[in-house]
Amino acid sequence: MNIPPTPKGLRLHIGIFGRRNVGKSSLLNAITAQNVSIVSDVAGTTTDPVEKPMELLPLGPVLFIDTAGVDDVGTLGEERIRRTRQVFDRTELAILVLAEEGWGDFEEELYQECQKRKLPVLVVWNKTDLFCPDFGMVEKLRSEYRLTVLCTSLPSEKGCRELKEAILQTIPEEWFSSRTLVADLLPPAATVILVIPIDKEAPQGRLILPQVQTLRELLDYGMTTVVVRPTELADTLRRLKNPPALVITDSQVFREVDTLVPSEIPLTGFSVLFARWKGEWQTFLEGTKSVENLRPGDHVLVTESCTHHPIGEDIGRVKIPRWLQNYVGGKLHFTHVQGHDFPNDLSPYQLVIQCGGCMVNRRAILSKIMRCREQHVPITNYGLIIAYSLGIFDRATAFLR
């Protein structure tokens, strides 16, 4: 039986940073025991971030991200550096790789970026078979910076085992703390109804990831889960001996489901749950309420973590703009970005709307939230903005407050 791989959004993201030709790609290949990244004596061989998912036992699923050197030059080099810095937005543990040049301005800048983001850092002094480390700097990094410093020689795999052990010791404590989507809010053995419309955006024979992750968690926690389409919801509610503890719906059918579910039964949406699970709940709530300040002609940034091809009545490009403009009472200007692209300058926008974020880890969402807070731009997510635009915000969030 083929076991589906763990989604990237549920993996610990480990970024590997450093100058060109310090052996970042060789380090990744040694850790994973695979030729994931092309290595060469020519500086600048890695041009784009290279991702490698693996099982790092006993930790579990991780995603290593090999980046281009931060000391690259020229126009192309600037673009490589920009993409490298984007990796910080989704990094949960940073590995800074040094070699002959040692610790200089580039390394200090990388370290300060990690400090700003409160990222745990490991330092790897590589190529010790060719160059002797500056032991004075090693001691300074250990005593003053309080960093773990490892010396590696990749041809002999010296230090690789110690590096894996150090990763386990350095990862954020919150990674071990179980975060649940909804199970912590439900009584034991509760009955939950999942309302899932089957539309063009759902590949034939499959459910979309937020639905799968919610269903899996409910099953893991021993909940009785009933999965229906909107057209079967009313009949299902009538046939149940006792009312369900919660109804969870796809947010694009919020209005329809709201009319079918009696007011005494709690109702929320998959994307609303993801606002709590992947983001920062209070910030998203406040950002949603800022819709009252929107005026026709304002600019809204819609940021989607995955890069799916829009089909039909796309939720982010068609439905949300339509519902939000109906609420505001006039035309708004929408800008859409996908994947890891996110503007540094948010001043043109009066609101940022983040998708559920099922394809990325929590730190990627928190990095966007941090940038929005720094520039005083409100941010919300798909489920919350849909519920607010349709007038059912209080009901959709009451169960989670």
Side-chain angles (χ1 to χ4, degrees):
M1 180 178 67
N2 292 325
I3 300 175
T6 300
K8 287 199 298 185
L10 298 181
R11 293 178 177 271
L12 177 74
H13 286 44
I14 303 174
I16 304 176
F17 303 92
R19 305 188 197 209
R20 292 176 295 163
N21 211 30
V22 294
K24 299 185 297 299
S25 298
S26 298
L27 185 70
L28 175 58
N29 289 345
I31 295 173
T32 61
Q34 297 181 41
N35 291 323
V36 178
S37 297
I38 299 173
V39 296
S40 167
D41 292 334
V42 178
T45 300
T46 300
T47 57
D48 292 306
V50 175
E51 299 180 351
K52 173 58 184 175
M54 68 171 293
E55 295 289 321
L56 186 62
L57 299 176
L59 173 61
V62 301
L63 183 76
F64 284 102
I65 312 171
D66 181 20
T67 65
V70 293
D71 59 336
D72 214 338
V73 294
T75 303
L76 182 58
E78 292 176 0
E79 175 62 19
R80 291 172 180 170
I81 292 172
R82 185 187 71 82
R83 295 189 181 187
T84 291
R85 295 196 181 282
Q86 283 182 333
V87 174
F88 277 112
D89 289 342
R90 51 197 170 106
T91 294
E92 293 162 303
L93 169 64
I95 299 178
L96 303 188
V97 185
L98 322 180
E100 182 179 15
E101 297 84 357
W103 187 279
D105 292 340
F106 288 114
E107 290 73 22
E108 185 67 31
E109 183 180 352
L110 288 170
Y111 172 71
Q112 292 302 327
E113 185 68 27
C114 294
Q115 287 288 95
K116 174 185 174 183
R117 296 170 180 266
K118 298 181 180 180
L119 289 179
V121 177
L122 281 174
V123 175
V124 174
W125 210 303
N126 195 24
K127 300 188 179 183
T128 54
D129 56 317
L130 301 177
F131 314 107
C132 183
D134 181 341
F135 291 107
M137 179 55 70
V138 170
E139 180 58 30
K140 179 179 180 179
L141 293 174
R142 288 173 174 168
S143 59
E144 295 185 19
Y145 288 65
R146 299 192 177 279
L147 295 174
T148 298
V149 183
L150 302 160
C151 295
T152 57
S153 172
L154 297 182
S156 63
E157 297 188 356
K158 173 188 173 183
C160 285
R161 178 180 59 81
E162 290 80 3
L163 175 57
K164 292 179 181 179
E165 292 177 355
I167 290 173
L168 296 177
Q169 296 298 322
T170 310
I171 59 174
E173 182 62 31
E174 66 183 45
W175 180 256
F176 293 104
S177 303
S178 176
R179 291 179 55 83
T180 59
L181 263 164
V182 68
D184 59 310
L185 302 174
L186 293 164
T191 298
V192 180
I193 296 179
L194 305 184
V195 184
I196 299 177
I198 303 300
D199 57 20
K200 292 180 180 179
E201 302 240 1
Q204 187 173 5
R206 289 183 287 166
L207 302 178
I208 62 175
L209 194 54
Q211 299 161 358
V212 172
Q213 291 177 340
T214 305
L215 176 59
R216 176 57 191 262
E217 178 178 294
L218 293 171
L219 294 175
D220 284 344
Y221 280 83
M223 308 296 177
T224 299
T225 310
V226 182
V227 182
V228 300
R229 295 176 298 180
T231 51
E232 292 126 20
L233 176 59
D235 184 57
T236 301
L237 288 168
R238 283 193 299 268
R239 287 190 288 145
L240 284 177
K241 183 177 179 180
N242 297 308
L246 177 65
V247 175
I248 307 172
T249 180
D250 192 287
S251 53
Q252 60 185 311
V253 291
F254 248 144
R255 179 178 285 161
E256 178 183 352
V257 173
D258 177 58
T259 62
L260 295 173
V261 177
S263 59
E264 63 270 18
I265 297 177
L267 169 66
T268 191
F270 293 104
S271 290
V272 176
L273 294 178
F274 270 70
R276 171 179 177 261
W277 192 42
K278 287 291 184 81
E280 204 285 305
W281 181 241
Q282 290 301 321
T283 299
F284 275 156
L285 290 180
E286 294 168 5
T288 308
K289 294 175 182 178
S290 73
V291 168
E292 296 299 328
N293 300 323
L294 283 181
R295 298 293 180 267
D298 282 349
H299 292 258
V300 178
L301 176 67
V302 179
T303 170
E304 300 175 316
S305 296
C306 61
T307 55
H308 72 281
H309 182 71
I311 302 175
E313 292 254 301
D314 185 75
I315 189 72
R317 288 170 170 76
V318 178
K319 293 182 178 180
I320 287 178
R322 181 172 66 226
W323 290 327
L324 189 54
Q325 288 175 131
N326 287 341
Y327 187 89
V328 172
K331 182 176 177 57
L332 299 168
H333 300 284
F334 290 88
T335 301
H336 294 81
V337 294
Q338 288 186 305
H340 304 304
D341 290 334
F342 194 70
N344 289 319
D345 181 13
L346 298 173
S347 60
Y349 305 104
Q350 283 69 54
L351 179 66
V352 174
I353 305 175
Q354 166 69 46
C355 73
C358 62
M359 295 297 294
V360 297
N361 62 354
R362 185 168 184 247
R363 184 172 288 277
I365 305 295
L366 293 179
S367 293
K368 294 179 182 179
I369 292 174
M370 179 183 72
R371 200 173 301 176
C372 288
R373 290 178 71 93
E374 288 175 348
Q375 300 185 43
H376 306 290
V377 178
I379 181 172
T380 182
N381 94 326
Y382 275 20
L384 291 172
I385 201 67
I386 291 171
Y388 201 92
S389 300
L390 299 180
I392 56 176
F393 176 76
D394 288 340
R395 185 180 189 187
T397 59
F399 187 78
L400 287 80
R401 297 194 188 193

